[in-house]
Amino acid sequence: MTITKMSWRPQYRSSKFRHVFGKPANKENCYDGVPITKSVQDNQFCAVNPRFVAVVTECAGGGAFLVLTINHTGKVDPHHPRVSGHRGNVLDIKWNPFDDLCIASCSEDCTVKIWDIPKNGVLRNITIPQKELQGHSRRVGLIEWHPTANNILFSSAYDYKVMVWNLDCPEPVIKNPVKTISFHTDVVLSMSFNTNGSQMATSCKDKKIRVIDPRSGTLLQEGKSKSQKVHKVMFLGNLKMLFSSGASMWNNRHIALWDQEDLSQPLVEEDLDGSTGVVFPFYDPDTHMLYLAGKGEGYIRYYEMNSEKPYMQYLNEYRSHLPQKGLGVMPKRALDVNSCEVFKFYKLVSAKSVIEPLSMIVPRRTEGYQEDIYPMTAGNRPALSAAEWLSGQDKDPVLISLKPGSKPEELYPELTSGKLSKNSLDSNYTQTRSESNTLNNNIPDKTQNALSNGREPCSTPKNDNELLQAFYRQQEEICSLKEALAQRDVRITQLELEIRNLRNTSTQNPPRTPSPNPHPASTPPPPEQLPLNSTPPPTEQFPLNSISP
């Protein structure tokens, strides 16, 4: 097999993605003041889903990461609550692809932990995980979720082992993985899955690429390039090819394409440049576009992939003076299809403590949904349960359409209201606490005002400030009404108890029956009835001393 060399500027070929360009967010839509970790691990340190942005932060005395709502842009509070349950530095984080409120993290403390994030955001420090996975003997550097099976997680550590975990177990601490893959001879540097998750590719520090059956743990293919030290490897969707990035024998950055059925030698390979940063590959199977981002630089190159020669078609590159430490990728189901957004990065700029959203846009003359660039894509529903996958079943991902109006019902409708949602969730958690304290001190007055019908009529807000003030007033009234209802419930309960006590008292002490003589002996009888013209008889006189004592 002859190895084809890729040229930097191949001949022009017609492509609908020829003019894709990167559009960075403006300053108001960035996340400023984020203490990004200083770890030298070659990971992304950032994970994104349609609801949250998670980033590993610098932390003393343990490991922590920050979870922000997707609309919590602008300046981030330096005392914002964190997820801080690890005893060592956090090395990798990944959101569950089928649950936007579940995230996994691995750490130098040799554990993997699963966290439940409140739907309103992290309002206080979270230190107790939902589950803890204990099995590795050295620090855990990589975690990956299965692409189609629910609650199946893979972890790789510096003990050269890859472990498969079933999170459907009811125990909070899981010590026995369902499978341990232990034929790697050095540290595993990356893991990737094919479309249905039936095969897993790994790159190892021993310079070898391996294709593994993740369910049985058997080795299917193994290859090694004579001219490349592999850092990252990735399946290219349904193209039946693997892409690898690494360093050549001359220490240049090197990329190569492999046939996943034959890893004896690469199909094509090429030196990129003389930089030393690791190249992170990102592949979009819907558009067949491959993005290459170098660690420590501001460039992102993108190519269009094909199953036929020349396999890789160079499109363009995005240039920025801000170097990236890592990149998070937004799932396709949350892209802005009306602006022709086909990919979205969240770029970590550690030099400025900023997370910068970066949208890849296909320029079109007409605005709105363009059906030709948005085929059916993987959704957030699992195709298999963990038990089904472990029993031997394989299924392709459940696909959804990105066309407006054809999406499944919105799980988090409050996030579609822009800046209002940002302030209504975790960006004002300190203000919410102070307002709740004020409400507790002034419940009667505020309750009376909230329940009165003589409120001032609401006027239409004219700017963001008036909108926020109206929102805060509405929240205050809602809290007051809830407190009033709670007080009424307490009063109703008290009245019911009083009525019950009265009934019990009346049952135990019945009323006395009247005596047959209505006049007691101590009271004189009533005088006899006399005719009107008669005079009463004289009263008999008794001497005082004649009365016996």
Side-chain angles (χ1 to χ4, degrees):
M1 182 184 296
T2 58
I3 299 177
T4 305
K5 294 287 184 179
M6 293 181 292
S7 62
W8 257 107
R9 295 291 183 268
Q11 294 182 355
Y12 175 77
R13 186 177 68 177
S14 176
S15 172
K16 66 182 72 174
F17 305 108
R18 176 71 182 174
H19 301 288
V20 171
F21 66 95
K23 182 180 179 181
N26 52 27
K27 189 174 181 180
E28 295 92 28
N29 293 324
C30 295
Y31 307 82
D32 192 10
V34 180
I36 300 171
T37 180
K38 298 179 182 178
S39 174
V40 296
Q41 187 85 3
D42 290 330
N43 288 337
Q44 304 301 332
F45 303 115
C46 181
V48 188
N49 66 20
R51 188 178 182 87
F52 296 111
V53 177
V55 57
V56 181
T57 59
E58 192 66 19
C59 181
F65 59 95
L66 197 64
V67 176
L68 304 172
T69 55
I70 203 70
N71 291 312
H72 186 178
T73 54
K75 188 70 174 178
V76 177
D77 188 349
H79 301 292
H80 193 285
R82 306 182 188 185
V83 182
S84 54
H86 284 286
R87 297 185 302 275
N89 292 330
V90 176
L91 300 182
D92 197 11
I93 51 176
K94 293 285 168 50
W95 287 104
N96 188 335
F98 311 118
D99 186 357
D100 291 341
L101 303 178
C102 177
I103 188 171
S105 63
C106 62
S107 169
E108 291 180 352
D109 61 6
C110 307
T111 65
V112 180
K113 297 187 178 183
I114 313 299
W115 308 89
D116 281 335
I117 305 300
K119 66 178 182 179
N120 290 331
V122 180
L123 301 181
R124 59 180 58 88
N125 288 334
I126 299 178
T127 58
I128 301 176
Q130 177 200 3
K131 290 185 183 296
E132 182 174 341
L133 313 181
Q134 300 176 357
H136 290 285
S137 58
R138 299 187 65 184
R139 58 179 176 171
V140 187
L142 284 174
I143 48 176
E144 290 288 347
W145 294 90
H146 194 276
T148 60
N150 194 26
N151 288 333
I152 294 292
L153 183 69
F154 294 77
S155 64
S156 173
Y158 279 68
D159 56 6
Y160 310 160
K161 296 179 180 179
V162 176
M163 294 187 177
V164 187
W165 305 90
N166 180 10
L167 303 184
D168 281 342
C169 298
E171 295 83 6
V173 178
I174 305 175
K175 296 185 178 181
N176 297 317
V178 295
K179 193 67 183 177
T180 300
I181 303 171
S182 56
F183 48 70
H184 293 90
T185 60
D186 211 324
V187 179
V188 177
L189 301 177
S190 67
M191 296 185 291
S192 177
F193 294 91
N194 63 349
T195 303
N196 63 3
S198 60
Q199 295 183 6
M200 177 178 69
T202 63
S203 61
C204 185
K205 205 171 181 180
D206 61 6
K207 304 179 183 179
K208 292 183 179 180
I209 296 175
R210 296 175 174 87
V211 178
I212 306 165
D213 184 341
R215 191 163 31 227
S216 63
T218 57
L219 181 63
L220 304 178
Q221 291 285 332
E222 184 178 87
K224 181 178 180 181
S225 174
K226 297 180 180 179
S227 59
Q228 184 190 34
K229 181 171 64 175
V230 179
H231 291 158
K232 303 293 180 182
V233 68
M234 172 176 285
F235 273 100
L236 296 182
N238 292 322
L239 297 181
K240 295 185 178 181
M241 290 191 295
L242 292 171
F243 175 85
S244 66
S245 63
S248 67
M249 62 177 62
W250 306 108
N251 213 22
N252 294 325
R253 293 198 297 191
H254 192 86
I255 58 176
L257 275 177
W258 307 75
D259 183 355
Q260 72 179 41
E261 304 297 336
D262 182 12
L263 298 181
S264 58
Q265 60 179 347
L267 296 175
V268 294
E269 57 182 350
E270 186 68 36
D271 283 348
L272 280 182
D273 50 38
S275 300
T276 58
V278 175
V279 175
F280 296 116
F282 303 91
Y283 182 66
D284 182 4
D286 301 332
T287 60
H288 301 292
M289 289 182 65
L290 176 69
Y291 301 86
L292 302 181
K295 182 180 179 180
E297 63 182 28
Y299 301 157
I300 299 178
R301 302 180 178 92
Y302 32 102
Y303 303 78
E304 188 173 12
M305 308 303 295
N306 201 315
S307 58
E308 300 176 355
K309 290 184 179 181
Y311 302 115
M312 294 182 69
Q313 173 70 30
Y314 174 81
L315 295 176
N316 208 335
E317 68 179 29
Y318 167 77
R319 291 175 173 266
S320 172
H321 66 281
L322 298 176
Q324 60 243 3
K325 184 178 181 64
L327 293 166
V329 177
M330 175 66 78
K332 295 291 292 289
R333 54 192 167 92
L335 297 182
D336 184 4
V337 296
N338 291 321
S339 62
C340 297
E341 183 181 62
V342 292
F343 213 73
K344 189 171 185 178
F345 294 102
Y346 281 74
K347 177 178 173 180
L348 302 185
V349 185
S350 58
K352 293 191 173 183
S353 301
V354 169
I355 305 176
E356 179 188 55
L358 174 63
S359 300
M360 309 306 295
I361 306 294
V362 178
R364 292 291 173 96
R365 292 183 180 179
T366 59
E367 295 181 356
Y369 177 74
Q370 306 290 325
E371 191 171 1
D372 60 324
I373 61 176
Y374 294 111
M376 299 287 285
T377 188
N380 61 342
R381 291 177 52 196
L384 295 166
S385 66
E388 291 172 339
W389 182 78
L390 291 173
S391 66
Q393 299 184 38
D394 289 318
K395 286 186 180 179
D396 289 335
V398 178
L399 303 181
I400 61 172
S401 174
L402 299 181
K403 186 176 182 180
S406 63
K407 294 182 183 180
E409 60 181 71
E410 186 65 42
L411 295 178
Y412 314 109
E414 70 271 15
L415 292 180
T416 59
S417 57
K419 291 186 177 180
L420 185 61
S421 296
K422 158 198 162 183
N423 291 280
S424 65
L425 295 176
D426 62 347
S427 63
N428 67 333
Y429 69 98
T430 52
Q431 184 169 1
T432 304
R433 291 178 180 175
S434 61
E435 288 180 357
S436 63
N437 293 333
T438 305
L439 287 173
N440 291 333
N441 295 331
N442 302 311
I443 285 174
D445 296 335
K446 293 186 179 293
T447 304
Q448 185 177 1
N449 293 334
L451 294 176
S452 63
N453 294 325
R455 291 179 296 178
E456 296 180 359
C458 296
S459 59
T460 304
K462 298 180 181 179
N463 51 43
D464 290 346
N465 189 24
E466 292 184 2
L467 184 64
L468 290 178
Q469 294 298 328
F471 172 74
Y472 292 144
R473 287 195 300 268
Q474 186 182 25
Q475 291 295 103
E476 185 176 343
E477 291 176 0
I478 291 174
C479 292
S480 301
L481 290 172
K482 289 182 178 179
E483 188 65 28
L485 289 175
Q487 289 183 352
R488 287 190 175 185
D489 291 340
V490 172
R491 182 57 180 163
I492 290 172
T493 304
Q494 291 176 351
L495 291 175
E496 289 177 349
L497 290 175
E498 291 179 3
I499 293 172
R500 190 178 305 170
N501 292 335
L502 290 175
R503 288 177 178 174
N504 293 337
T505 304
S506 61
T507 304
Q508 295 175 0
N509 301 320
R512 295 181 180 178
T513 57
S515 59
N517 183 12
H519 306 290
S522 59
T523 58
E528 298 179 359
Q529 297 295 330
L530 300 175
L532 293 177
N533 54 359
S534 61
T535 59
T539 304
E540 188 175 358
Q541 299 294 329
F542 295 97
L544 294 176
N545 55 5
S546 65
I547 301 176
S548 60

